[in-house]
Amino acid sequence: MSHALSLAVNGERITAQVSPRLHLADFLRETLGLTGTHLGCEHGVCGACTLRVNGEIVRSCLMLAIQAQDANVETIEGLSDSGEIADLQQAFEARNALQCGYCTPGMLITAQDLLLHHPSADRAAIRAHLSGNYCRCTGYHAIVDAIEATGRARMKKGA
Ligand code: FES
Ligand code: FES
């Protein structure tokens, strides 16, 4: 049995029929083709599937698609296309904060969440906020560098 689902994804109104057991991550990837949301552990540990729902970061492997009824969902594609995280993406590239890139969409969305609320976050706060996002390549140091540098640049710009 399928259910009618209506939600906004990256600003676009979407309606679809979905199985009640379908995860939000699978809906985005398989139904909408938004494959920037990655799946690693599929049980809420690695953070690869992180996206924003109504402004809050969530793990889309732990959320059913039907729970997103009437929600405003933002994926890495939306944040990239809008330019919201362009500076953060540039900092990741400049500081080699990604290698295989598998963790990167989740890292960027989690980092942006922190910087929106605490642009002056220090390295300890950055590490704490990212503690639910695993990276198997970089050793994290460069990721923290990129986020710290972006926060400082934003503060300077806003000053
Ligand atoms: S795939 Fe969702 S937390 Fe790992
Ligand atoms: S860049 Fe490969 S897992 Fe993070």
Side-chain angles (χ1 to χ4, degrees):
M1 197 175 86
S2 63
H3 287 258
L5 172 66
S6 174
L7 74 170
V9 179
N10 299 326
E12 188 183 339
R13 175 59 48 187
I14 304 282
T15 56
Q17 290 289 324
V18 297
S19 158
R21 297 164 64 97
L22 183 68
H23 285 116
L24 180 58
D26 290 334
F27 173 70
L28 294 168
R29 288 178 56 82
E30 293 169 16
T31 307
L32 302 186
L34 295 171
T35 54
T37 298
H38 291 165
L39 285 165
C41 65
E42 298 191 60
H43 62 256
V45 175
C46 75
C49 65
T50 304
L51 42 73
R52 282 201 309 222
V53 176
N54 296 332
E56 302 287 338
I57 53 172
V58 304
R59 303 194 160 210
S60 57
C61 71
L62 294 183
M63 184 168 172
L64 297 169
I66 55 171
Q67 291 177 296
Q69 174 67 29
D70 296 327
N72 178 27
V73 173
E74 295 169 281
T75 70
I76 190 65
E77 289 88 349
L79 269 65
S80 295
D81 290 350
S82 71
E84 178 183 329
I85 57 168
D87 56 350
L88 194 53
Q89 289 169 308
Q90 281 160 13
F92 267 57
E93 186 182 355
R95 291 168 183 271
N96 296 319
L98 67 155
Q99 289 176 30
C100 79
Y102 202 83
C103 70
T104 309
M107 285 288 182
L108 288 167
I109 292 176
T110 305
Q112 175 66 354
D113 179 66
L114 175 65
L115 293 179
L116 283 174
H117 298 104
H118 304 288
S120 61
D122 63 15
R123 296 182 74 84
I126 293 168
R127 284 186 177 275
H129 199 75
L130 290 176
S131 61
N133 289 72
Y134 291 0
C135 177
R136 291 302 179 211
C137 301
T138 67
Y140 302 100
H141 199 83
I143 293 173
V144 176
D145 287 347
I147 297 166
E148 185 182 38
T150 304
R152 284 185 182 166
R154 287 186 188 181
M155 296 259 292
K156 213 168 166 186
K157 219 171 155 185

